[in-house]
């Protein structure tokens, strides 16, 4: 009865195929273009510490915010069957709160203050997430429409938090978050991504959240009849996305040492949604694989960096990106999968089937 | 092609990952015949039909249709439609908020502007000629399920229809509605349409069909004329062995007659969907709600489980007052509920068989206590064996199982929670004859072990066999209660029809 478990286990991974192939193609393309593209070197930074450097590192590093947002976006997509387009705006709000708290003590930035600032901005972002989530789960508003509200006014709220200014912060602690911790050659954002990954892995390992989110996303009514609090699960997914926004916002602010509410993580919501789609997750909700979205996010970042490395003018980058993304999304579509499956069957299944064909 | 034959399928093969759903199946349909397609759950009936209607691409074999020289290939339901092959699926796929006429013609009015007046006239004429009791301007949602189904059929046969396929069309209809449907089928038959009829109801097969094709495990067993195949033999051909008699099932009243301790008790319980009613069930008792479709029997049990918002009433479980507002509350009290509409309320189609089986149990264990993979696997295997669920593996998505096997998975889900009170609303819908008696036996065995069961079924015989007390409903009210030797078919019918008890 279990003869086919191997086949279905493979099927479990096939979803990761598209982002992996995308990344692989980009790697090969870049190696042809410039064999030294992926060489990783060690240099000394301003503080005299040895740090890793190279295109590979900057792809991994630069993708951090996107990866973190796409983790949360995966959950929202799965549970609600829709997407949150306010993540960029919410990250800007979170970043503004972060800076506001740091500025509140008249310049002295202690580790305790940074922790406090992060906790507060996280709480604020989660509250906004809960607001979005309530619109979606309690009032049954389409996620895109519900989050359109915050998408529109989020950056104004961020503006208002710091009184319209774009304050700068300079502190060794902040630059440690945004670039390198002294003595650590790996950029901190990459480490934060790993921490977030571990957080979600543990969450799925030690709670039933994954099962519940998928159940709610697939059949909300049936989920309720099995005792699952469907409203609560959707709400929770938006709150978790809010937390992801605050982490992304903090990284973004720390990188630059300032908050610019107009430009911080601008347009990132579309990339986050795309990362989810490229990762083979259905945008209609239901089954999900967070690892797919993470790989999707790295693929998008790799594409962006490649285009910049090819000196494509930044105005054209979007167009090129669009072309590649259309290809990726089509590659992962059910229609293409079906056709591939059929072709494979035709190639492999000649032997026994022949008998029936010739019978006439 | 031979004279009188509208459709032949030869050597049809179809596999899915891990299952050979059809191997070398032949099927022949003649003009003006009703041809029953029979077989156990998972035998391949629906798959054969989906191959014929272009939902699945066949791996091998050929399909021929009257009037076309060559073998045809059907790549989509639209193409099947163009060849004159129409299908009505078990789940009604029309739009309840459009009118009957709109439902019949929309999506197929060729050309630019819709001629509403003409459409209504045409719809009216067609409905009349087929004897369907619906008005063109009526909203579809306001018709009974049976009439909706008949509208779906009218829509299907309106086009140049040579072949009409009905996949389990009667499983949610009551006797009167079935009779209505059969009249329609005979009318179409007289017009020369070849009808393929899939069902698990043997009596219905013998009532309307001319010929029977039997499948077993994806293989063709044979094609028979109805008169030459006695019922027992048909069953033997379907399951590959003789069916054990139903006679030993009759023991129930001896087991669960005088149940003393009341497990569940409700006083003036009401929900948004049902009027206040009183109800109780004793330990080890099997009782049932009966009545016509729409009489409120499903709504009543939904209120017990908290499936619809509860609006009032007092509930006691094991003598203690409790609050049951939502399904989770009921589950905490040890109540399980297998819903009537499996597709809408039961299955989580994209999740695996394993996840579907453990779902309710997992929810009761709590969010912080996930089952280990090994444990889940063990539970799933246990119930796949116990209920003989046909699936390629525990990882197979539930949606790809055959209808009857999906139903068994949902049953497994609730059995795994070991409820003390289990509500089964149409548990045998879409389940084959062999398994049906297995499930009835199982219910009685569980009751013997002390579980209380409320059973709802459109088949009165099934309820008479299992229940020791029947609560009869009509027009959303309880109109009678039958026990002991009142439990006869005539008596039940009589009470349902309204001649029944004095307490009206
Ligand atoms: N899309 C699919 N993917 C994988 N397996 C499938 C799919 N559809 C059907 N099967 C498998 O093919 C077999 C035949 O299924 P089918 O639905 O044809 O049975 P059936 O005779 O209609 O049964 P039932 O009486 O329960 O409806 C089953 O084992 C089922 O699990
Ligand atoms: Mg079927």
């Amino acid at each position: 009865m279990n003869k086919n478990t191997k086949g279905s286990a493979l099927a479990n991974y096939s979803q990761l195929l598209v982002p992996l192939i995308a990344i692989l193609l980009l790697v090969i393309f870049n190696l042809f273009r410039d064999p030294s593209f992926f060489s990783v070197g060690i240099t000394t930074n301003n503080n005299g510490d040895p740090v890793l450097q190279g295109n590979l590192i900057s792809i991994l590093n630069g993708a951090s915010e996107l990866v973190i947002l796409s983790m949360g976006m995966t959950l929202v997509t799965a549970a609600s069957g829709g997407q949150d387009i306010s993540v960029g705006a919410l990250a800007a709000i979170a970043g503004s709160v972060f800076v506001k708290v740091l500025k509140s003590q008249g310049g002295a930035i202690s580790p305790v203050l940074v922790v406090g600032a992060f906790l507060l901005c996280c709480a604020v972002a989660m509250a906004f997430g809960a607001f979005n989530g309530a619109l979606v789960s309690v009032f049954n508003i389409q996620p895109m429409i519900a989050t359109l509200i915050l998408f529109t006014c989020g950056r104004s709220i961020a503006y208002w938090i710091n009184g319209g200014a774009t304050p700068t912060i300079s502190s060794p602690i902040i630059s440690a978050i945004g670039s390198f911790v002294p003595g650590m050659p790996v950029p901190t954002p990459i480490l934060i991504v790993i921490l977030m990954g571990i957080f979600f892995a543990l969450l799925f390992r030690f709670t039933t959240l994954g099962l519940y989110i998928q159940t709610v996303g697939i059949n909300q009514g049936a989920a309720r009849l099995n005792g699952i609090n469907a409203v609560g699960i959707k709400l929770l997914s938006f709150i978790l996305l809010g937390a992801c926004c605050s982490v992304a916002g903090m990284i973004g602010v720390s990188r630059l040492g300032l908050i610019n509410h107009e430009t911080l993580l601008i347009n990132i919501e579309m990339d986050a949604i795309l990362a989810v789609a490229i990762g083979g997750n259905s945008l209609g909700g239901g089954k999900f694989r967070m690892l797919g979205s993470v790989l999707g996010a790295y693929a998008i970042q790799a594409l962006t960096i490649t285009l910049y490395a090819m000196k494509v003018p930044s105005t054209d980058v979007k167009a090129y990106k669009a072309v590649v993304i259309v290809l990726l999304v089509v590659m992962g579509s059910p229609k293409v999968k079906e056709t591939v499956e059929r072709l494979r069957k035709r190639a492999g299944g000649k032997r026994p089937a022949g008998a029936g064909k010739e019978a006439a | 092609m031979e004279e009188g034959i509208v459709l032949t399928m030869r050597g049809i093969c179809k596999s899915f990952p891990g299952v050979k759903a059809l191997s070398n199946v032949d099927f022949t349909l003649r003009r003006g015949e009703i041809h029953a397609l029979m077989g156990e759950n998972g035998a391949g009936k629906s798959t054969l039909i989906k191959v014929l209607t272009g939902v699945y691409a066949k791996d091998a074999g050929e399909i021929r249709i009257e009037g076309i020289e060559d073998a045809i290939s059907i790549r989509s339901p639209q193409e099947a439609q163009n060849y004159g092959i129409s299908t009505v699926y078990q789940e009604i796929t029309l739009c309840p908020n459009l009118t009957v006429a709109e439902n019949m013609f929309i999506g197929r009015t060729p050309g630019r502007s819709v001629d509403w007046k003409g459409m209504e006239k045409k719809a009216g004429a067609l409905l009349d000629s087929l004897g369907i009791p619906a008005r063109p301007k009526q909203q579809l949602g306001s018709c009974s399920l049976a009439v909706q189904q008949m509208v779906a059929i009218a829509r299907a046969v309106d086009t140049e229809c040579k072949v009409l396929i009905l996949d389990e069309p009667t499983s949610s209809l009551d006797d009167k509605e079935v009779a209505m449907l059969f009249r329609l089928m005979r009318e179409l038959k007289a017009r020369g349409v070849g009808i393929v009829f899939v069902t698990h109801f043997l009596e219905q097969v013998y009532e309307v069909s001319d010929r029977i094709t039997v499948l077993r495990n994806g293989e063709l067993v044979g094609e028979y004329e109805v008169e030459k195949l006695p019922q027992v033999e048909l069953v033997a051909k379907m399951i590959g062995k003789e069916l054990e008699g139903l006679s030993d099932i009759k023991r129930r009243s001896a087991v669960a007659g005088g149940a003393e301790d009341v497990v569940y008790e409700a006083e003036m319980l009401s929900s948004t969907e049902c009027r206040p009613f009183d109800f109780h069930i004793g330990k080890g008792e099997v009782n049932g709600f009966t009545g016509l479709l729409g009489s409120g029997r499903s709504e009543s049990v939904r209120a017990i489980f908290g499936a619809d918002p509860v609006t009032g009433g007092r509930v006691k479980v094991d003598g203690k007052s409790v609050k049951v507002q939502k399904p989770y509350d009921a589950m905490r009290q040890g109540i399980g509920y297998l819903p009537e509409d499996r597709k809408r309320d039961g299955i989580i189609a994209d999740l695996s068989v394993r996840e579907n089986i453990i779902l309710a149990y997992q929810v009761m264990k709590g969010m912080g206590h996930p089952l280990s993979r090994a444990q889940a696997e063990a539970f799933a295997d246990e119930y796949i064996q116990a209920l003989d669920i046909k699936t390629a593996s525990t990882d197979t998505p539930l949606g790809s199982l055959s209808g009857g096997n999906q139903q068994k998975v949902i049953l497994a889900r609730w059995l795994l929670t070991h409820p003390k009170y289990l509500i089964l609303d149409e548990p045998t819908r879409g389940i084959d004859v062999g398994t049906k008696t297995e499930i009835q036996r199982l219910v009685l065995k569980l009751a013997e072990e002390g579980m209380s069961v409320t059973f709802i079924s459109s088949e009165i015989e099934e309820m008479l066999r299992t229940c020791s007390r029947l609560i009869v409903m009509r027009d959303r009210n309880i109109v009678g209660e039958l026990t002991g030797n009142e439990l006869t078919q005539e008596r039940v019918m009589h009470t349902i029809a309204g001649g029944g008890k004095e307490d009206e």
Side-chain angles (χ1 to χ4, degrees), chain A residues 1 207-208 219 224 226 345, chain B residues 15 307 344 347 367 392 413:
Chain A
M1 189 163 270
T207 75
T208 59
N219 189 340
R224 204 180 81 83
N226 282 290
K345 219 172 221 172
Chain B
S15 328
R344 196 189 69 200
I347 68 169
M367 222 172 146
R413 177 192 293 169

Side-chain angles (χ1 to χ4, degrees), chain B residues 118 213 216 239 260 276 329 420:
Chain B
T213 290
R216 188 170 65 231
I239 64 178
E260 284 304 78
D329 301 341
K420 57 184 171 220

Side-chain angles (χ1 to χ4, degrees), chain B residues 217-232:
Chain B
N217 287 328
E219 288 176 19
L220 177 69
V221 177
E223 188 199 86
Y224 312 91
E225 281 175 45
V226 169
E227 303 87 61
K228 295 190 185 135
L229 186 70
Q231 203 155 326
V232 242

Side-chain angles (χ1 to χ4, degrees), chain B residues 211-249:
Chain B
R211 225 176 284 265
I212 303 176
T213 290
V214 179
L215 299 181
R216 188 170 65 231
N217 287 328
E219 288 176 19
L220 177 69
V221 177
E223 188 199 86
Y224 312 91
E225 281 175 45
V226 169
E227 303 87 61
K228 295 190 185 135
L229 186 70
Q231 203 155 326
V232 242
E233 252 177 71
L234 168 62
V235 173
K237 294 215 186 306
M238 278 164 58
I239 64 178
K241 56 174 197 262
E242 298 291 322
L243 184 67
E244 291 166 54
L246 294 169
S247 47
D248 57 324
I249 288 188

